[in-house]
Amino acid sequence: MQLADPVRARHGLPASCDISQTQPVGGELEQPGAELAPARVGKHSRVSVLWLPEPPAPDLLPAFADLITSRDARPDAIVLGDASAPGLLTSWVSKGAAAVVPIIDASGQSTAGADVTLPFVSPESLALALRALQPVMDRVRSLPETFFQSADPGLWLLARLAIRERAVEPVRDVTSRSTIRFADEGVLPNLFPCAEHLSRTGHLDRHYFDRLKLCPACSSARLLIREECRSCRSSDVVEEPIIHHLRCAYQGPERDFRDGQYLTCPKCRNRLEHFSVDYDKPGMLTVCNSCGHTTGDPAIGYVCLDCDAKADASLLRTRVVHSYTLSERGRQAVFSPISPMGKGGEMETQELRRSVRLFVAEHRALGIPCAILVIRLDCKKAETAGIGEDAIAAAVDFFGEMLRETFTPETEILRAGLTFTVLISGDSPPTIEAGL
């Protein structure tokens, strides 16, 4: 379906746009030269729309859309009207719903986690976006009610992927301290440790993306890697050829032989005139301009561009980054009325043990130190004191949140009932014990 240019101009659309590829997170309705795909209308002809932060003008919504004004109703789609809207999302819908309901970004801010970004907002552009997202809305409607009652971020992530029929793909981003970001982190902040856990339980399949080196002081991957002098650690080093005087057997860097435009042996003071007769050049040396130290193998150091830490590159930590695709087990967990991912029970304990074993095996294979920190909460005194179950559960959840903030975002924290297991990469048990 190709719209004439005057029609596009009248409704605030770009000269040409493509709505057939709007499912990937962050997709824009602006791709010059593309053809418009026919709108696909699902089995539900009308859609309900939540517009944040304020309702739009009545004539802005398409005729087939109904505006939601109650917090009790579950929308088919969410429109973010300005930069403050993402912060209001979970005050209107549950976190589970926020993870799966398609989001249209009309704020002009390129909001992370949005399914479609509208460069211009008009009734026609909004109608095109809603019709393009119709398959996603239909799949959200097919979710069992137990999903919306779940407080499990892992299930939210699985459902987000199943609904959009895509993977979790890392993207390079120099504005991020880790230089890698996942677009879905805009909706699921702890996505990386959650995805790692789900891959170990068989709900996601991992695929290698890259191996990063991280600053041991601040975990930043924005590093300057450089050759340095082994003696004074200066980066003012240069490579020079080695000159070997064949007659007296003396050899050294070329600067020791240089005498103006001539070469003179510093040992016997004879002039070297003919290559391969008087001298040869058997290799290269690294010479420090600061202290004069010479070596055939310079040190490799780093400077962290975030915290300015400097040290030998051998001290850098390693982080392996993966993309994640939904497995059949993960798909079943999303659409089953009785989810196999429920907390507690023997199944969760077995999955936790499996996750720990895989974590240790992976780090041993890579030669990376690791540690396992297990924390078990004892709530017997609280129960004896008459504190209710809801209050105890809230306190345990709060402890989990504080524990999450204690470690870096990539640290995986597993929970089974009142037991929290922290999988720490890059540090050995003695180091963790000293820090505690």
Side-chain angles (χ1 to χ4, degrees):
M1 178 179 65
Q2 183 67 43
L3 298 180
D5 288 345
V7 176
R8 295 180 179 280
R10 185 169 65 253
H11 290 284
L13 286 170
S16 61
C17 64
D18 181 3
I19 65 169
S20 63
Q21 301 295 328
T22 53
Q23 290 185 23
V25 171
E28 289 197 13
L29 295 184
E30 185 175 14
Q31 297 182 14
E35 291 288 332
L36 283 175
R40 295 178 293 176
V41 180
K43 59 184 178 181
H44 302 274
S45 59
R46 300 195 64 79
V47 297
S48 57
V49 176
L50 173 62
W51 196 298
L52 298 175
E54 299 292 339
D59 59 351
L60 194 57
L61 280 179
F64 61 86
D66 299 314
L67 188 65
I68 284 183
T69 57
S70 170
R71 297 176 189 266
D72 297 328
R74 185 182 303 146
D76 293 312
I78 300 171
V79 180
L80 306 180
D82 63 29
S84 66
L88 302 174
L89 197 56
T90 54
S91 66
W92 277 85
V93 297
S94 67
K95 291 183 178 180
V100 296
V101 173
I103 295 176
I104 299 173
D105 181 13
S107 67
Q109 302 293 320
S110 298
T111 304
D115 295 280
V116 174
T117 296
L118 291 181
F120 301 97
V121 183
S122 67
E124 183 166 318
S125 66
L126 190 58
L128 289 173
L130 289 171
R131 286 311 187 201
L133 292 171
Q134 187 73 53
V136 180
M137 292 186 282
D138 289 342
R139 287 190 286 269
V140 172
R141 291 178 179 130
S142 71
L143 287 172
E145 191 60 32
T146 52
F147 167 79
F148 296 98
Q149 298 169 0
S150 173
D152 185 357
L155 187 59
W156 302 341
L157 174 57
L158 295 178
R160 184 172 177 83
L161 301 185
I163 292 302
R164 287 157 177 79
E165 296 186 337
R166 61 165 175 77
V168 176
E169 297 285 353
V171 179
R172 300 191 189 278
D173 183 3
V174 295
T175 65
S176 169
R177 183 179 288 251
S178 65
T179 70
I180 295 289
R181 66 174 175 84
F182 295 93
D184 297 293
E185 286 179 319
V187 179
L188 299 167
N190 293 321
L191 184 146
F192 175 72
C194 184
E196 281 292 289
H197 172 59
L198 292 172
S199 70
R200 294 190 176 98
T201 59
H203 293 89
L204 291 179
D205 295 324
R206 291 194 318 183
H207 308 276
Y208 176 84
F209 178 78
D210 203 356
R211 180 177 281 106
L212 306 179
K213 292 296 183 179
L214 306 180
C215 172
C218 70
S219 297
S220 171
R222 294 187 288 207
L223 306 168
L224 174 62
I225 307 296
R226 61 189 191 176
E227 292 184 336
E228 296 179 348
C229 172
R230 288 190 176 277
S231 177
C232 69
R233 304 305 298 197
S234 170
S235 61
D236 187 10
V237 295
V238 293
E239 276 194 332
E240 289 189 15
I242 300 171
I243 292 183
H244 174 215
H245 186 196
L246 300 177
R247 183 174 181 179
C248 73
Y250 181 81
Q251 62 180 9
E254 183 175 328
R255 65 175 63 188
D256 291 353
F257 288 79
R258 183 59 60 187
D259 184 13
Q261 60 180 333
Y262 302 105
L263 294 175
T264 302
C265 177
K267 177 181 177 183
C268 65
R269 305 307 301 172
N270 285 321
R271 181 167 293 178
L272 313 182
E273 296 180 347
H274 303 289
F275 182 78
S276 79
V277 175
D278 296 324
Y279 68 98
D280 62 8
K281 296 183 177 181
M284 301 293 289
L285 277 176
T286 299
V287 183
C288 177
N289 288 328
S290 296
C291 70
H293 179 75
T294 60
T295 179
D297 184 22
I300 305 299
Y302 74 89
V303 178
C304 178
L305 302 183
D306 282 295
C307 71
D308 202 36
K310 302 178 181 69
D312 193 84
S314 63
L315 300 177
L316 292 173
R317 294 169 47 213
T318 300
R319 174 189 171 188
V320 181
V321 181
H322 299 88
S323 61
Y324 306 88
T325 55
L326 193 67
S327 68
E328 184 57 34
R329 184 182 186 188
R331 189 175 301 277
Q332 292 175 0
V334 173
F335 293 104
S336 171
I338 302 176
S339 172
M341 296 183 62
K343 291 185 177 180
E346 184 62 25
M347 177 177 292
E348 185 179 54
T349 301
Q350 292 176 358
E351 291 181 349
L352 188 149
R353 290 173 179 170
R354 180 173 179 267
S355 295
V356 171
R357 285 197 298 269
L358 286 174
F359 176 80
V360 173
E362 289 171 357
H363 281 68
R364 284 179 178 172
L366 293 171
I368 302 173
C370 65
I372 310 296
L373 177 62
V374 179
I375 302 172
R376 295 184 179 90
L377 303 183
D378 185 355
C379 299
K380 293 180 180 179
K381 291 183 179 179
E383 294 170 355
T384 303
I387 299 176
E389 293 183 0
D390 291 343
I392 293 176
V396 173
D397 290 341
F398 181 71
F399 175 82
E401 294 174 4
M402 295 299 99
L403 189 65
R404 171 74 272 163
E405 294 178 3
T406 302
F407 294 90
T408 57
E410 62 267 18
T411 301
E412 185 176 353
I413 301 177
L414 311 178
R415 177 181 172 182
L418 299 177
T419 301
F420 293 83
T421 304
V422 186
L423 308 184
I424 304 171
S425 176
D427 290 308
S428 62
T431 303
I432 299 301
E433 290 174 358
L436 294 175

